[in-house]
Amino acid sequence: MQTVIDAHNISKVYNPDTIPVHAVNSVHLHLNRGEFTALVGPSGSGKTTLLNIIGGLDAPTEGQVVINGINISELKPNQLINFRLHNIGFVFQAFNLIPVLTASENVEFIMLLQKRPKAERTRRVHELLASVGLSDKLNVRPSQLSGGQQQRVAVARALASRPQFILADEPTANLDSHSAATLLDIMEKMNREEAITFLFSTHDQRVIDRARRVITLVDGRIENDSAATQIRH
Amino acid sequence: MLTIIAWRNLWRNRTRSLIITTSVALGMWAGTFIMAIYFGMGEARLRIAIDNEVSHIQVHHPGFADDKEAKYNMPMDSLARVFQKIPAIRAFSLRSVTTGMLATTSGSQGIQVNGVDPAAEQATRGMQNFVQDGDYLDPAQRNRVLVSTKLAKKLKLEIGNKIVLTLLDTANNITAGAFRICGLYHTNNAPLDELNVFVRKTDLDRLIGTDGRAHEAAILLHRDDDLDPVFQQLKQALPQLQIERWQEISPETALVLSSLDTYSLVFIFIILLALSFGIINTMLMAVLERTREIGMLMAVGMNKLRVFGMVVLETIMLAVIGAPAGLLAAWLTTLWLGHTGINLGAIMGESLRDFGYAPVIYPVLPWHNVVQTMQLVLLTAVVAAIFPALKALRLKPVEAIRT
Ligand SMILES: Nc1ncnc2c1ncn2[C@@H]1O[C@H](COP(=O)(O)OP(=O)(O)O)[C@@H](O)[C@H]1O
Ligand SMILES: [Mg+2]
């Protein structure tokens, strides 16, 4: 199995000088290509912080994140942005899309940043929006899409850049259960058929049930990892 | 696509963008219009200087500039021969010029006496058109003098009065002649008016002994553009004489023209400075409102240069789209008022004339300045963009995204 994410001994302390908050404590996390993994835990357990560190959006107080063999803590700010552009797909809880761009433009935009040729961009925009079931919404702006549709565009956008893996921080938190299920169906299908690696956080039990591996975070520590448990059994 | 994003972002807050765009348009309109007025004043001043005062080129004896003595004169016929051979010359006037005293029963005053050929003087500077009362110099009538209304008022002179001009002849002997006032003139240059009286050249020559000689040759050209070539030609043809262009004869006119240029740019600059605060403020608000969006873009991989470019592009659009409308309005206003003229005399009375300006101003759009203004607008936009763009760069994606 090929390692995609290797987070080693990650700790994050907010406000170290005033009222220190130990958001993440000595976390080791190892993810292989093709995984479909949920990071779960109550609100405030450190899920967002950990995902941000893995995604190179935030620097850990201690520890290292190695993605595909590259230690991202060593990258300079602009290198890091470029690394994110080419290696990581992001789906946030909300505000994923550029409001002034249509669905297809939002998906195309990331490929434009990557300087992909026009023909490839157009083909992929159609492919991806079709695969998230939004072929009929190509020229619609985000404000005219439902929350679930917006999140599906975000997944298409995250995939457009052909990343190593997709990080999704509570992607279903703002969705009703039906939309959440549809989104999960799409993510699962992509994982199954195209071996796209997903790491997503959630505290929704119905979403947790869909994950193949579940890592439970409590107070910034990994309390349980289903992968490790399975090995022990 | 950055351009598309910037353009669409511009219209997210329609009212705000329209306010800025309208301000820019109004600012440009006002600035350009003021510039047109200045330029019109400058043009008018230039025309007066060339057409009514100093002509394009003047020729003197080299000694004349320092000492306006009668002995520093030039032979008329050889000058005339040179001038007549140059087709670019429209008209020329050969004058006898000397300083002296004007005496009346009520007082006396130092003046410059210009002995002119009435027809040539009319052809070079339209002297006859400035006669307000009485008649222009009659070539057939002896010892008539044209004095300015200003001088007449000061010395309580009237048409038909006799005055005595006391002068020095070529040998520096005092000589005097009695002249009768045939008319009163009034040009656009009040200070000069007070100092100059005009008589027939033949009358003056008889008094100071300069028959067939001239102290001053004033040359009017067909076109302003011929100035330098003719100047060079004359320098070659008359190497021993002092040849001067209007800029040298009337440096204050040249100075006024260049300072009007500077003033109008300073004016535009102040307007743009004021506008730039509005633009900066608007763009700062726009960046602030889009904190999450910009943070998201940086998170997914939009680098700093592109974020910077996006904000700069939007700022430039915001600043620049109003400008053409303003320039168009200024152009139309100028077109209209350039036709009817603005009568500042009604507001400012005679004071404009005291500075040598015509009271009615015909604004002219100076195209090179319009281009310059557009460049300044662009520059302002770029400068105004820097602050908001830096603000956008300083956003940290994690903090911007956190909900
Ligand atoms: N920027 C911050 N400054 C200070 N404390 C923070 C900051 N971000 C998160 N925290 C704290 O860190 C802990 C973990 O937060 P978070 O990673 O958002 O958890 P989760 O995503 O699981 O809800 C919480 O106690 C939270 O209050
Ligand atoms: Mg969270």
Side-chain angles (χ1 to χ4, degrees):
Chain A
M1 276 280 180
Q2 194 189 344
T3 301
V4 184
I5 301 171
D6 190 10
H8 186 77
N9 196 27
I10 303 293
S11 293
K12 178 74 183 181
V13 185
Y14 288 111
N15 315 324
D17 304 323
T18 50
I19 316 148
V21 180
H22 295 265
V24 175
N25 290 305
S26 315
V27 165
H28 292 270
L29 191 113
H30 188 99
L31 223 71
N32 287 326
R33 185 168 305 287
E35 282 201 35
F36 197 69
T37 299
L39 191 60
V40 307
S43 183
S45 58
K47 304 182 295 293
T48 298
T49 305
L50 184 58
L51 286 182
N52 283 345
I53 289 170
I54 292 170
L57 294 174
D58 206 354
T61 313
E62 233 181 283
Q64 288 180 338
V65 178
V66 178
I67 290 169
N68 237 23
I70 294 169
N71 184 347
I72 63 167
S73 339
E74 287 170 358
L75 297 177
K76 296 194 187 76
N78 247 334
Q79 287 178 320
L80 192 58
I81 293 177
N82 204 37
F83 182 85
R84 289 202 298 266
L85 174 63
H86 287 97
N87 296 280
I88 308 172
F90 289 93
V91 179
F92 304 104
Q93 189 177 324
F95 307 106
N96 273 296
L97 307 176
I98 305 171
V100 295
L101 295 185
T102 63
S104 60
E105 284 167 340
N106 262 290
V107 176
E108 187 184 354
F109 184 65
I110 196 103
M111 291 186 280
L112 237 131
L113 292 181
Q114 290 181 319
K115 301 198 174 88
R116 305 250 183 197
K118 173 78 189 159
E120 180 190 343
R121 296 199 309 263
T122 316
R123 180 169 45 77
R124 216 161 149 66
V125 164
H126 284 91
E127 258 172 40
L128 287 167
L129 284 175
S131 70
V132 296
L134 291 174
S135 287
D136 56 336
K137 303 283 184 194
L138 290 177
N139 298 318
V140 173
R141 292 210 191 173
S143 56
Q144 266 136 350
L145 295 172
S146 71
Q149 289 169 333
Q150 287 181 28
Q151 290 305 75
R152 276 142 69 188
V153 176
V155 169
R157 194 267 317 271
L159 273 172
S161 65
R162 298 186 184 281
Q164 299 291 331
F165 60 90
I166 289 179
L167 286 182
D169 190 9
E170 311 220 22
T172 60
N174 292 349
L175 304 185
D176 58 79
S177 56
H178 177 73
S179 304
T182 312
L183 188 70
L184 257 292
D185 288 342
I186 288 167
M187 286 165 59
E188 218 174 19
K189 180 163 169 270
M190 286 170 169
N191 172 261
R192 210 174 340 102
E193 293 176 3
E194 292 168 57
I196 308 283
T197 313
F198 278 91
L199 174 59
F200 53 93
S201 71
T202 184
H203 55 252
D204 180 341
Q205 191 55 48
R206 284 164 304 185
V207 176
I208 298 171
D209 291 343
R210 308 282 291 267
R212 277 210 298 283
R213 175 182 171 191
V214 177
I215 298 169
T216 311
L217 220 51
V218 174
D219 290 340
R221 289 177 197 282
I222 293 183
E223 206 194 52
N224 187 38
D225 185 341
S226 64
T229 321
Q230 277 163 11
I231 289 165
R232 228 178 287 146
H233 283 297
Chain B
M1 190 162 297
L2 280 187
T3 324
I4 297 175
I5 295 178
W7 176 255
R8 292 189 191 157
N9 272 335
L10 199 57
W11 301 110
R12 269 162 92 168
N13 195 325
R14 225 169 266 260
T15 323
R16 200 168 61 194
S17 293
L18 277 177
I19 287 172
I20 292 296
T21 304
T22 313
S23 322
V24 171
L26 283 177
M28 282 301 94
W29 174 72
T32 315
F33 182 59
I34 291 284
M35 199 158 77
I37 288 182
Y38 274 162
F39 203 73
M41 277 172 86
E43 277 286 286
R45 181 74 200 89
L46 177 70
R47 285 271 64 89
I48 288 171
I50 291 176
D51 297 343
N52 304 133
E53 290 170 7
V54 301
S55 304
H56 283 102
I57 295 174
Q58 286 188 8
V59 183
H60 295 101
H61 185 285
F64 189 78
D66 300 328
D67 253 315
K68 289 193 173 172
E69 284 184 34
K71 63 178 178 192
Y72 295 127
N73 53 43
M74 309 167 289
M76 281 174 77
D77 49 357
S78 59
L79 285 181
R81 234 177 289 125
V82 171
F83 298 162
Q84 275 154 2
K85 261 188 266 162
I86 300 175
I89 294 179
R90 178 202 198 113
F92 61 89
S93 176
L94 299 168
R95 301 170 184 146
S96 293
V97 180
T98 188
T99 48
M101 290 292 282
L102 183 158
T104 69
T105 46
S106 59
S108 63
Q109 149 125 24
I111 40 117
Q112 175 166 308
V113 184
N114 300 275
V116 299
D117 171 47
E121 201 63 9
Q122 172 62 15
T124 45
R125 57 188 292 197
M127 196 60 205
Q128 190 166 359
N129 313 344
F130 295 115
V131 175
Q132 304 272 306
D133 279 312
D135 300 313
Y136 185 51
L137 293 171
D138 183 341
Q141 281 191 305
R142 263 179 82 131
N143 284 19
R144 295 296 144 110
V145 62
L146 199 57
V147 303
S148 68
T149 47
K150 202 158 183 198
L151 187 66
K153 200 168 165 193
K154 190 173 169 194
L155 297 178
K156 300 191 180 63
L157 299 172
E158 283 175 19
I159 292 168
N161 285 5
K162 245 186 183 165
I163 57 168
V164 174
L165 297 177
T166 309
L167 313 159
L168 290 173
D169 66 15
T170 46
N172 273 349
N173 294 319
I174 294 182
T175 165
F179 289 80
R180 193 179 291 283
I181 297 174
C182 62
L184 302 180
Y185 77 91
H186 184 72
T187 70
N188 287 313
N189 199 330
L192 276 181
D193 281 5
E194 206 178 325
L195 293 174
N196 283 278
V197 301
F198 293 83
V199 300
R200 286 195 318 176
K201 184 169 189 304
T202 43
D203 294 335
L204 185 59
D205 288 343
R206 203 176 333 105
L207 278 174
I208 62 175
T210 49
D211 201 20
R213 319 283 298 175
H215 298 104
E216 184 168 280
I219 298 166
L220 186 72
L221 305 175
H222 286 290
R223 301 174 329 122
D224 290 346
D225 292 343
D226 290 330
L227 182 66
D228 287 318
V230 173
F231 172 70
Q232 294 303 338
Q233 242 175 310
L234 289 174
K235 264 176 101 161
Q236 287 200 337
L238 305 164
Q240 71 284 18
L241 296 179
Q242 186 180 31
I243 323 272
E244 291 171 298
R245 287 161 291 191
W246 65 264
Q247 296 98 318
E248 286 115 29
I249 311 161
S250 177
E252 66 279 4
T253 303
L255 185 71
V256 162
L257 289 181
S258 70
S259 42
L260 283 179
D261 239 36
T262 316
Y263 286 157
S264 54
L265 276 186
V266 167
F267 198 82
I268 295 272
F269 186 77
I270 291 171
I271 289 180
L272 287 177
L273 196 70
L275 287 175
S276 65
F277 284 103
I279 295 169
I280 290 174
N281 186 49
T282 299
M283 284 310 295
L284 277 180
M285 276 161 71
V287 167
L288 216 68
E289 285 167 2
R290 284 177 226 150
T291 299
R292 283 211 186 99
E293 195 177 318
I294 294 169
M296 181 275 292
L297 286 170
M298 289 165 94
V300 300
M302 187 157 162
N303 66 29
K304 298 198 173 218
L305 196 68
R306 287 183 171 128
V307 173
F308 193 84
M310 185 176 75
V311 177
V312 169
L313 217 61
E314 188 176 335
T315 315
I316 290 178
M317 285 176 183
L318 180 67
V320 167
I321 51 173
L327 289 178
L328 186 74
W331 182 65
L332 291 175
T333 319
T334 311
L335 215 62
W336 175 51
L337 286 172
H339 219 70
T340 57
I342 307 167
N343 193 347
L344 287 181
I347 312 164
M348 301 172 74
E350 282 299 280
S351 57
L352 271 175
R353 270 191 210 271
D354 290 342
F355 292 105
Y357 287 97
V360 178
I361 288 166
Y362 297 91
V364 179
L365 254 200
W367 286 110
H368 72 281
N369 282 9
V370 170
V371 172
Q372 230 167 8
T373 306
M374 274 313 288
Q375 287 167 341
L376 271 181
V377 173
L378 211 65
L379 185 74
T380 310
V382 172
V383 172
I386 290 174
F387 192 52
L390 284 180
K391 196 90 186 165
L393 283 194
R394 250 179 263 130
L395 290 179
K396 294 220 169 65
V398 251
E399 287 164 19
I401 288 165
R402 213 167 251 284
T403 40

